[in-house]
């Protein structure tokens, strides 16, 4: 039986993770947070003292990386046996993730790890290239975005709520820089799949975004 896949791609702070988790829960499907895989690699690289310019070293770390995800109240992530959950959401981790994610060989190594999540009864996959590269055959695709200023405010509030020190001007600059890097890289850049539904969530509530996406899946 074919496994249905719903892909949700878009820039940082658009609401992909929040909406994907809710939709996956409502559908009873699995959830792939592909960004956390790149974030984990960024942490592996810094923990092992590998220079961000050392592409061969980063590829080796990607090949050797042992990741475990545990879905409880919050997603727990273990990297080579060590709990790295608290370090995953840091903006510094996201920024480094976007640098290691631009290396084509890294993306090739991580492709299988991501495709392995495609299991019955279905998968909601969140990232940058879910609908274009990792699951191009997916029957349901969404490109979720919001204005850069709205995304920066959302991320600022989210970090504050987590008790992480944050500065709005710095976050705005970093989000713009990360978007640029993600859109301009040669391999699997952030781009909308031609068959995706475009949703701008700037003036939408989380519930209305979830509803639109569930409608797409229900229409079949
Ligand atoms: N439509 C929305 N309206 C207001 N806030 C939102 C909306 N969607 C998401 N958020 C909030 O924005 C923050 C970033 O969302 P997140 O799902 O982490 O984005 P992404 O995964 O795209 O980076 C979260 O705190 C989330 O609750
Ligand atoms: N499918 C994906 C997911 C993330 N990434 C990279 O990983 C970084 C962190 O992704 P994320 O989804 O956790 O970031 P946020 O949208 O939560 O800020 C992104 O800026 C991308 O560079 C990617 O290249 N491809």
């Amino acid at each position: 039986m074919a496994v249905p896949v719903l892909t949700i791609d878009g820039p940082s702070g658009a609401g992909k993770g929040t909406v994907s988790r809710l939709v996956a829960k409502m559908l009873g499907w699995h959830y792939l947070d592909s960004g956390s895989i790149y974030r984990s690699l960024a942490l592996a690289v810094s923990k092992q003292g590998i220079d961000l310019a050392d592409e061969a070293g980063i590829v080796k770390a990607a090949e050797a990386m042992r990741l475990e995800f545990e879905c409880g109240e919050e997603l727990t992530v273990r990297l080579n046996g060590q709990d790295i959950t608290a370090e995953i959401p840091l903006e510094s981790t996201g920024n480094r993730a976007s640098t290691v994610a631009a290396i084509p060989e890294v993306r090739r190594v991580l492709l299988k790890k991501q495709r392995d999540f495609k299991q019955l009864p279905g998968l909601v996959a969140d990232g940058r290239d879910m609908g274009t590269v990792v699951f191009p055959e997916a029957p349901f695709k969404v490109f979720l975005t919001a204005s850069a200023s709205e995304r920066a405010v959302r991320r600022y509030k989210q970090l504050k709520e987590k008790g992480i020190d944050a500065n709005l001007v710095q976050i705005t600059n970093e989000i713009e820089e990360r978007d640029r890097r993600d859109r301009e890289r040669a391999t699997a850049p952030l781009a909308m799949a031609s068959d995706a539904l475009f949703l701008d969530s700037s003036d939408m509530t989380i519930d209305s975004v979830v509803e639109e996406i569930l409608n797409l899946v229900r229409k079949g």
Side-chain angles (χ1 to χ4, degrees):
M1 192 183 157
V3 180
V5 178
L6 162 66
T7 61
I8 304 186
D9 290 307
S12 181
K16 302 179 302 294
T18 308
V19 165
S20 298
R21 276 187 201 92
L22 288 168
V23 170
K25 203 168 174 193
M26 287 175 189
L27 294 171
W29 289 5
H30 300 281
Y31 168 52
L32 164 62
D33 174 2
S34 62
S36 70
I37 297 180
Y38 290 96
R39 284 173 181 262
S40 300
L41 175 60
L43 288 168
V45 164
S46 63
K47 284 179 195 301
Q48 290 163 33
I50 300 167
D51 196 289
L52 276 179
D54 176 7
E55 295 201 357
I58 296 171
V59 172
K60 266 198 196 138
E63 282 165 343
M65 179 167 71
R66 211 166 24 83
L67 274 185
E68 295 159 79
F69 293 97
E70 204 177 286
C71 292
E73 187 103 317
E74 205 194 333
L75 185 77
T76 302
V77 186
R78 262 184 230 94
L79 165 68
N80 303 328
Q82 188 192 351
D83 188 341
I84 55 163
T85 311
E87 294 164 86
I88 290 275
L90 301 176
E91 280 302 282
S92 54
T93 307
N95 292 330
R96 276 194 228 114
S98 144
T99 301
V100 300
I103 304 170
E105 188 62 11
V106 161
R107 304 199 73 88
R108 199 191 58 72
V109 169
L110 297 181
L111 209 50
K112 186 181 176 312
K113 280 192 207 290
Q114 296 172 78
R115 289 191 173 144
D116 285 346
F117 279 77
K118 182 173 162 180
Q119 284 179 25
L120 285 170
L123 175 68
V124 180
D126 143 19
R128 300 291 185 290
D129 61 341
M130 298 293 100
T132 50
V133 175
V134 183
F135 303 108
E137 75 292 354
F140 312 110
K141 297 182 186 178
V142 173
F143 189 83
L144 183 62
T145 188
S147 67
S149 56
E150 173 66 20
R151 292 187 285 111
V153 169
R154 286 180 189 173
R155 181 54 30 96
Y156 173 77
K157 287 188 188 157
Q158 185 184 33
L159 291 170
K160 284 280 187 189
E161 275 162 21
K162 285 192 171 159
I164 298 171
D165 194 30
N167 170 304
L168 185 56
V169 174
Q170 189 184 346
I171 287 181
T172 306
N173 291 337
E174 285 178 356
I175 274 198
E176 283 173 1
E177 170 64 17
R178 184 137 69 92
D179 282 358
R180 190 194 53 72
R181 210 181 298 136
D182 289 349
R183 287 202 170 98
E184 290 180 1
R185 70 180 173 227
T187 307
L190 167 64
M192 180 170 134
S194 56
D195 50 350
L197 170 73
F198 177 84
L199 280 181
D200 183 333
S201 73
S202 306
D203 297 313
M204 291 172 80
T205 61
I206 293 173
D207 285 352
S208 58
V209 176
V210 166
E211 201 46 42
E212 287 255 6
I213 296 176
L214 284 174
N215 281 341
L216 174 78
V217 176
R218 286 185 190 128
K219 271 196 297 193

